[in-house]
Amino acid sequence: MKKIIQSILIILIYFCSNLVQGQFNIPEAPKKIYPIQDYVGVLSQKQIEKLNQKLISYYKTTSTEILVFIIQDLHGEDPNLLASQWGEKWKIGKFYKNNGIIILLSIHDKKISIQNGYGIEPYITDFLTIKIIKKVKPILKKNLYYQAIDCGTQEIFKILKNKYHNQKEQNNKNFSIWNLLTYVSIFLIMFYLFGIKKTNVSLLNTLFITNFLFRNQNSYHDRDDNFDGFGGGGNFGGGGGNSNW
């Protein structure tokens, strides 16, 4: 009888431990979502800042949101499912575009997963995702996490080259070209109106106007350079891949 009770207790303990392991609570999204979310502390602050700067710059150019989660343990969760659910909960990717990408690293499990939003899947197929992971794995085996993330994101940039464009960024370029033409036109008009004898006055007036316009344009870009954080989309279709390293 004792042996039966002991066996039942062992089975119950094993079942309960597996149940606990299979629970990973995805944290609530912060008010401002930055690309690098290191919950383990394997990256230095300088490395985080450099990666954030790189991925924010890419986001401003393309509108594609690449989010990197670094966790200690999966607690028995499937890495692909967890990465997709995390992307859904934090709404990574632009609304309607669904161009979010999640890179999940689990340090204890030595697992990496890359999950793509619906909008990314036609360009980064499951085959290409695995190809990216294979390139990153040797770097992860050396515990070079910064270099691995840098390499992986660079591969994503190559694959998605010219696939997405940030309309706001394009409008800013058009705005700059238009202003340059305006400055030249103002100079020519002032030169014609005042004549050669009054060229100096004309130049002063033109420089004053140009400086005023440039100052306004710069303030416009300063406002545009502000980063409001990722989020607003979501919809991950499960396309991607994972592997051990």
Side-chain angles (χ1 to χ4, degrees):
M1 187 67 179
K2 283 185 178 180
K3 288 183 178 180
I4 295 172
I5 293 172
Q6 285 177 348
S7 299
I8 293 171
L9 285 172
I10 290 169
I11 292 169
L12 284 172
I13 290 169
Y14 177 78
F15 176 77
C16 290
S17 64
N18 281 346
L19 187 64
V20 171
Q21 283 183 346
Q23 293 177 343
F24 184 100
N25 293 321
I26 298 172
E28 295 298 322
K31 289 183 179 179
K32 192 172 185 177
I33 303 174
Y34 283 92
I36 303 299
Q37 301 289 325
D38 182 5
Y39 291 92
V40 186
V42 295
L43 299 175
S44 68
Q45 190 58 41
K46 188 175 181 180
Q47 289 173 335
I48 291 172
E49 287 173 3
K50 285 180 73 174
L51 289 171
N52 274 334
Q53 186 178 8
K54 173 185 176 179
L55 296 178
I56 289 171
S57 177
Y58 182 71
Y59 156 75
K60 286 181 178 179
T61 305
T62 66
S63 79
T64 301
E65 299 180 0
I66 302 175
L67 192 63
V68 181
F69 293 112
I70 305 174
I71 61 173
Q72 182 64 44
D73 200 311
L74 288 164
H75 296 290
E77 296 280 5
D78 177 83
N80 286 349
L81 183 61
L82 180 60
S84 294
Q85 289 176 340
W86 212 326
E88 290 267 1
K89 184 172 181 177
W90 284 27
K91 301 182 185 300
I92 302 305
K94 283 295 181 186
F95 191 55
Y96 289 126
K97 289 185 179 181
N98 294 312
N99 55 341
I101 300 172
I102 302 296
I103 300 175
L104 177 67
L105 299 177
S106 178
I107 305 302
H108 176 74
D109 304 287
K110 295 186 180 297
K111 285 189 176 182
I112 176 174
S113 173
I114 300 178
Q115 294 298 302
N116 308 313
Y118 278 118
I120 296 293
E121 287 181 9
Y123 309 117
I124 304 182
T125 61
D126 294 357
F127 172 76
L128 288 175
T129 303
I130 295 298
K131 202 172 177 182
I132 295 169
I133 291 173
K134 281 182 178 178
K135 191 158 188 176
V136 168
K137 278 172 64 174
I139 309 173
L140 288 170
K141 285 179 180 179
K142 297 177 184 178
N143 297 329
L144 299 173
Y145 303 110
Y146 168 79
Q147 290 83 346
I149 296 167
D150 190 48
C151 174
T153 52
Q154 202 61 41
E155 289 300 308
I156 291 171
F157 293 174
K158 289 178 186 176
I159 296 170
L160 290 180
K161 189 176 180 181
N162 300 324
K163 297 296 189 297
Y164 285 96
H165 298 282
N166 193 337
Q167 189 62 42
K168 185 164 63 175
E169 186 74 17
Q170 188 64 40
N171 289 340
N172 288 341
K173 290 178 182 177
N174 294 336
F175 181 81
S176 299
I177 293 168
W178 176 253
N179 273 297
L180 179 61
L181 293 173
T182 304
Y183 303 147
V184 173
S185 300
I186 290 171
F187 177 81
L188 292 174
I189 292 169
M190 296 291 284
F191 185 84
Y192 176 78
L193 290 175
F194 285 93
I196 298 173
K197 292 181 180 179
K198 297 184 178 180
T199 300
N200 291 335
V201 178
S202 174
L203 283 170
L204 286 172
N205 288 334
T206 304
L207 287 171
F208 174 79
I209 295 169
T210 303
N211 181 59
F212 175 77
L213 290 171
F214 264 122
R215 188 168 66 248
N216 285 344
Q217 184 186 3
N218 288 335
S219 65
Y220 173 85
H221 281 297
D222 287 340
R223 291 195 302 271
D224 186 56
D225 283 343
N226 290 333
F227 175 63
D228 295 327
F230 286 171
N235 292 330
F236 284 77
N242 76 91
S243 179
N244 294 340
W245 72 74

